């Protein structure tokens, strides 16, 4: 579950920002920033507890690349809907690279295979 949250949370945040920009409320910006902050905190906590397996590192790297390309496209194309997303994506890109760094530092636990334990037992006795 932590892996799914770690990969999908940036896209959930982008979807929430798009949803909030289509709704007109009095304190829309305040509510949006509060919920985005809570979602980012959940994302960082789930990634910090997640084991950095090879698949997780690959998916997170691809997601970093997609968000970076999307940020470059937003900077090149001047469109109304993309202007709402520019600040959120500019916030998510460095956070995603920080989460990728956390994943690289989280090593999976080493399990002793049967072959290794058998060889180790032979050496001891």
């Amino acid at each position: 579950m932590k892996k799914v949250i770690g990969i999908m949370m940036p896209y959930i945040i982008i979807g929430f920002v798009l949803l909030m920009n289509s709704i007109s409320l009095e304190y829309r910006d305040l509510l949006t920033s509060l919920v985005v902050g809570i979602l980012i905190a959940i994302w960082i906590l789930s990634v910090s507890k997640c084991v950095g397996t090879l698949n997780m590192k690959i998916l997170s790297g691809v997601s970093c690349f997609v968000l970076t390309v999307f940020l470059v496209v937003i900077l090149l194309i001047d469109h109304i809907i993309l202007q709402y997303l520019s600040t959120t994506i500019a916030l998510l890109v460095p956070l995603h690279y920080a989460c990728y760094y956390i994943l690289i530092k989280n090593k999976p636990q080493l399990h002793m295979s049967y072959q290794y334990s058998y060889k180790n037992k032979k050496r001891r006795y």
Side-chain angles (χ1 to χ4, degrees):
M1 186 69 181
K2 294 174 195 167
K3 292 180 181 181
V4 173
I5 290 174
I7 294 296
M8 294 303 295
M9 191 57 79
Y11 302 107
I12 292 171
I13 293 170
I14 290 170
F16 178 75
V17 169
L18 279 175
L19 178 74
M20 287 304 289
N21 283 327
S22 64
I23 298 172
S24 63
L25 294 172
E26 187 175 348
Y27 296 108
R28 180 182 68 195
D29 294 336
L30 181 66
L31 183 65
T32 303
S33 62
L34 180 67
V35 172
V36 166
I38 291 170
L39 290 175
I40 287 173
I42 292 170
W43 179 34
I44 297 291
L45 284 174
S46 67
V47 166
S48 65
K49 294 181 180 179
C50 183
V51 177
T53 59
L54 182 63
N55 290 335
M56 187 68 182
K57 290 176 187 175
I58 290 171
L59 287 175
S60 185
V62 168
S63 188
C64 286
F65 179 72
V66 166
L67 285 175
T68 306
V69 168
F70 200 58
L71 181 65
V72 169
V73 167
I74 285 174
L75 292 175
L76 295 177
I77 298 174
D78 189 28
H79 196 270
I80 283 292
I81 295 173
L82 295 179
Q83 287 177 354
Y84 292 126
L85 285 177
S86 63
T87 55
T88 306
I89 300 235
L91 171 73
L92 289 178
V93 168
L95 280 175
H96 213 294
Y97 281 107
C99 287
Y100 185 69
Y101 179 74
I102 290 170
L103 278 176
I104 289 173
K105 291 296 178 183
N106 289 344
K107 302 282 185 198
Q109 294 178 351
L110 296 176
H111 297 289
M112 189 177 291
S113 66
Y114 175 76
Q115 181 181 9
Y116 179 75
S117 64
Y118 180 72
K119 287 179 183 177
N120 198 13
K121 187 189 284 187
K122 274 177 62 175
R123 279 190 217 137
R124 279 190 283 175
Y125 300 114

